[in-house]
Amino acid sequence: MTTTEPIHPAPEQAAPERAAAEAAGAMRTPAEALAAAREHLLALQSPEGWWKGELQTNVTMDAEDLLLREFLGVRTEDDTRETARWIRSQQAEDGTWATFHGGPSDLSTTAEAYVALRLAGDAPDEPHMARASAFVRARGGVPETRVFTRFWLAMFGEWSWDDLPVLPPEMMFLPRWFPLNVYDFACWARQTIVPLTIVGSLRPVRPLPFDLPELRAEHPARRSGRRRVPGWDEAFHTLDRALHVYERRPVRALRQAALRRAGEWIVARQEADGCWGGIQPPWVYSLIALHLLGYRNDHPVMKRGLDGLERFTIRDAKGRRLEACQSPVWDTVLAMNALADAGVPGDDPAQRRAADWVLGEEVTGPGDWSVRRPNLPPGGWAFEFDNDVYPDTDDTAEAILALDRVGHPAAEPAIERAVRWMAGMASADGGFAAFDADNTRELCRRLPFCDFGEVIDPPSADVTAHVVEALARRGMADSRTVKRAVVWLLRAQERDGSWFGRWGANHVYGTGAVVPALIAAGVRPGKPAIRRAVRWLERHQRPDGGWGEDLRSYDDPGWIGRGASTPSQTAWALLALLAAGERGPAVDRGVRWLIEHQRQDGTWDEDHFTGTGFPGDFYINYHLYRLVFPVSALGRYVREA
């Protein structure tokens, strides 16, 4: 079992230290603040060479873990009690749960947390439960929750399978050129959809030891998927009705063959540690699907899957919780780059240990990305400890930068393979997505089933920027690949001068990534695109000197560039301004904010989430972001000062 502890105290524990940190930080020079942060980062390295901060999300991970264990018959009292303690600790005073720190109440998250607490024995009339159920009823009850929530409730007899969108397993037989084949969906979506085609066709019902009348609104507006609108959406709802008719009398031989094909597809993609894709949704649904196909809990595939969840489990004073994913490769290469920015030489033992570990994590075989790039030799890195099927260009770009800067003697062949693979993953328009090339079929978004999260993987500004920066570092600034990517980035710039951030919050992240990349590719600081970006950052600097952008900016443009100042977002803005050659008051005030908010031990507090899983739906607090990015920003500031 691997237990991951947070790298900072809980907010209520950190408050006294935060005040002391501000007093101490005010006396530090930038070089002293950098030294303290650098030493703290070095101290967090594992003996094997990697770094990994907690990847914190929301309590649906924990609620669904209990529901999974209930469904499979492996839920224990100890796990239930400790998980419930964690879920309760995250409940807001009004009885609800949100998808990110300080965010608005979320209906589906609240409903799933409520059901999990009922499993733990919390009575419906207890005040915290009554407040939660009242909120769910006020928002329309279970019918207004997302499809995933209603899938869970259908498995326990609290929702009708007839009122869920249909995804038949026969879609496994659609050829790769045909619309809505499984490879039209993003890697995280296809890994989730394939097992759910099995679950949805077999329609299991295993009643809970209680029912949930308190979650039913008095006059709910029942729905199946998203709100209907004319055009494609209406066409897909018509298709869904036809599929419901087919579900009542499927072609038996075809259905059995499709279930067998889907099961084989799932088993073939299980990773060495038992996970699927290194992420929670396909993991839990794959276990349920295989269980329904007859795999016993002691079958090697099932046992690896269940045992592997322990590696993602955190136990501490607040209870038991599950990471939706783990980010050791990402954290390690970011830490290596931060230390290089902070002046740690490439032959330092910490950098060498990290490089050795990263080289051992190289992906050397084909994966789902090969479907669209069948002739491209493999290379690169994934995000997690084990995820050889799904390397990504974002991790690969940062790994190339880190290994190139460290100058490890054995790294060059791996870097060359990674550069070749990464460049070969360019989409037709010149931009880069995270996991696939040309994964842009928007019809996938129209399915009634797809009412939560992004289901395709189009190119994004932040990923494209990281790729450009890495290729430029390797002397490829004049290559056709980089030139096309630069044009893509320039076209993607918003009218206000910023860039949208797909994997981080939000325009501060996108702009913080793109400006250094354009400069690295040879765009001069005086060019209009850079000047507009600088002006946008200066306009959105907060009165306290920091930068912050609330995650609500993905849904409400009024929040773009607005939010509480955070260490990671302040560092992103500084990295862009420093790359653009800025040395004025905005930079000095941003550096001063970092110094004044630094803890005595050299790190920072960051309760706000600044990472993005699905814009508008799923967010992440990377606990190492609060340290690695300020180290990079302070390092570059001190070096150039």
Side-chain angles (χ1 to χ4, degrees):
M1 181 189 71
T2 298
T3 300
T4 305
E5 296 293 341
I7 64 171
H8 75 305
E12 62 269 21
Q13 296 170 322
E17 291 194 45
R18 185 182 294 121
E22 293 181 10
M27 297 182 289
R28 283 175 172 159
T29 66
E32 290 169 341
L34 173 63
R38 181 181 62 227
E39 293 310 307
H40 190 97
L41 180 57
L42 286 167
L44 294 174
Q45 188 179 28
S46 73
E48 295 88 349
W50 46 263
W51 281 266
K52 192 189 87 63
E54 180 182 347
L55 191 148
Q56 180 183 353
T57 54
N58 66 70
V59 298
T60 57
M61 301 298 102
D62 316 295
E64 291 174 5
D65 180 63
L66 289 188
L67 292 171
L68 167 71
R69 294 173 186 277
E70 173 73 11
F71 188 85
L72 298 180
V74 298
R75 182 171 62 86
T76 68
E77 288 302 316
D78 287 346
D79 284 348
T80 303
R81 182 179 60 255
E82 292 303 298
T83 301
R85 191 151 60 89
W86 166 254
I87 292 174
R88 290 187 207 104
S89 76
Q90 300 303 297
Q91 189 176 23
E93 291 184 4
D94 65 358
T96 65
W97 285 264
T99 59
F100 59 92
H101 176 79
S105 302
D106 183 74
L107 172 61
S108 295
T109 305
T110 299
E112 292 186 28
Y114 179 91
V115 177
L117 292 182
R118 287 293 311 272
L119 274 178
D122 291 20
D125 57 356
E126 292 184 58
H128 69 291
M129 297 293 280
R131 290 194 297 272
S133 61
F135 169 79
V136 173
R137 290 194 303 275
R139 289 292 185 94
V142 171
E144 293 303 311
T145 59
R146 61 181 180 166
V147 166
F148 283 178
T149 301
R150 286 176 281 136
F151 248 87
W152 282 105
L153 292 174
M155 287 191 284
F156 292 108
E158 293 294 328
W159 185 258
S160 171
W161 286 106
D162 290 335
D163 291 329
L164 281 168
V166 173
L167 277 177
E170 286 84 350
M171 70 185 296
M172 296 299 299
F173 295 123
L174 293 177
R176 294 171 183 175
W177 54 265
F178 196 86
L180 302 179
N181 74 85
V182 295
Y183 297 101
D184 273 357
F185 294 89
C187 71
W188 58 85
R190 82 176 67 108
Q191 294 175 87
T192 300
I193 286 170
V194 171
L196 283 180
T197 66
I198 296 173
V199 179
S201 65
L202 297 180
R203 297 188 166 197
V205 175
R206 298 185 181 175
L208 296 165
F210 49 82
D211 58 15
L212 298 165
E214 65 271 25
L215 298 187
R216 299 177 190 139
E218 292 183 6
H219 302 288
R222 293 176 62 183
R223 70 176 193 174
S224 178
R226 302 174 305 174
R227 179 178 58 86
R228 297 183 191 180
V229 296
W232 280 111
D233 284 352
E234 184 59 38
F236 275 114
H237 280 281
T238 301
L239 173 62
D240 185 61
R241 290 193 295 271
L243 289 173
H244 272 89
V245 173
Y246 175 75
E247 279 299 305
R248 289 195 285 270
R249 298 187 64 182
V251 179
R252 184 171 181 179
L254 182 61
R255 172 56 56 90
Q256 291 303 314
L259 290 171
R260 185 166 55 252
R261 172 74 66 87
E264 292 168 350
W265 191 95
I266 292 169
V267 171
R269 282 158 178 77
Q270 187 180 36
E271 296 288 345
D273 67 348
C275 75
W276 277 269
I279 53 178
Q280 184 263 7
W283 197 339
V284 298
Y285 297 128
S286 292
L287 287 171
I288 292 171
L290 294 178
H291 174 78
L292 293 173
L293 291 178
Y295 286 69
R296 295 167 56 93
N297 289 344
D298 59 358
H299 186 283
V301 171
M302 295 290 290
K303 190 174 187 307
R304 280 197 304 272
L306 288 168
D307 291 347
L309 289 170
E310 281 300 307
R311 191 182 193 180
F312 285 60
T313 300
I314 298 172
R315 292 177 172 86
D316 61 17
K318 282 194 171 183
R320 173 185 177 273
R321 59 191 180 275
L322 196 72
E323 291 182 283
C325 185
Q326 292 184 330
S327 53
V329 174
W330 182 243
D331 287 345
T332 299
V333 294
L334 289 178
M336 292 171 68
N337 280 312
L339 291 173
D341 285 329
V344 176
D347 59 359
D348 183 90
Q351 292 281 50
R352 285 303 170 94
R353 284 198 309 274
D356 286 337
W357 183 81
V358 170
L359 289 171
E361 293 295 305
E362 182 190 8
V363 175
T364 57
D368 278 6
W369 56 269
S370 306
V371 170
R372 290 217 167 85
R373 293 293 182 269
N375 299 317
L376 180 62
W381 285 268
F383 191 68
E384 302 88 349
F385 284 113
D386 293 285
N387 188 9
D388 288 346
V389 179
Y390 300 103
D392 67 272
T393 59
D394 217 10
D395 280 273
T396 299
E398 291 297 326
I400 290 169
L401 285 167
L403 292 172
D404 190 80
R405 296 174 77 180
V406 167
H408 192 288
E412 192 60 28
I415 294 175
E416 291 179 358
R417 288 189 293 270
V419 166
R420 179 182 58 199
W421 177 79
M422 185 175 67
M425 291 295 289
S427 289
D429 61 3
F432 287 83
F435 295 94
D436 281 303
D438 298 319
N439 188 262
T440 56
R441 199 186 293 273
E442 295 201 10
L443 281 179
C444 296
R445 292 172 170 164
R446 300 295 185 183
L447 288 174
F449 180 87
C450 300
D451 71 342
F452 176 81
E454 179 61 278
V455 294
I456 59 175
D457 186 19
S460 66
D462 41 329
V463 174
T464 302
H466 292 154
V467 171
V468 165
E469 190 172 5
L471 294 179
R473 171 87 189 183
R474 295 291 295 177
M476 297 175 62
D478 291 329
S479 67
R480 182 172 182 271
T481 299
V482 171
K483 287 182 177 179
R484 293 182 70 233
V486 167
V487 170
W488 190 98
L489 288 171
L490 293 174
R491 289 175 175 170
Q493 189 174 26
E494 305 287 338
R495 290 184 177 180
D496 61 9
S498 67
W499 278 270
F500 176 82
R502 164 62 181 87
W503 296 98
N506 171 353
H507 291 252
V508 176
Y509 182 72
T511 307
V514 173
V515 171
L518 291 178
I519 297 297
V523 177
R524 295 180 180 178
K527 290 294 183 179
I530 304 297
R531 289 297 96 203
R532 290 200 303 274
V534 167
R535 288 195 295 271
W536 185 87
L537 288 168
E538 290 176 342
R539 286 197 307 271
H540 289 86
Q541 188 172 25
R542 287 176 51 79
D544 63 7
W547 279 265
E549 184 170 358
D550 194 281
L551 289 160
R552 279 168 280 202
S553 64
Y554 285 106
D555 300 307
D556 181 356
W559 282 98
I560 290 175
R562 292 180 51 226
S565 296
T566 67
S568 59
Q569 291 169 313
T570 298
W572 297 337
L574 286 172
L575 289 169
L577 293 173
L578 290 168
E582 298 300 304
R583 298 297 182 271
V587 170
D588 292 338
R589 291 176 62 228
V591 169
R592 177 53 54 186
W593 187 93
L594 287 177
I595 294 172
E596 290 176 350
H597 289 80
Q598 188 179 32
R599 291 165 48 87
Q600 288 179 310
D601 61 3
T603 188
W604 286 262
D605 292 312
E606 186 166 279
D607 300 326
H608 290 278
F609 288 29
T610 63
T612 305
F614 303 140
D617 289 297
F618 191 77
Y619 300 110
I620 303 167
N621 184 340
Y622 291 94
H623 282 208
L624 211 62
Y625 273 17
R626 66 197 65 180
L627 181 57
V628 290
F629 288 111
V631 168
S632 278
L634 289 172
R636 296 183 192 184
Y637 178 84
V638 169
R639 182 183 64 209
E640 297 180 16

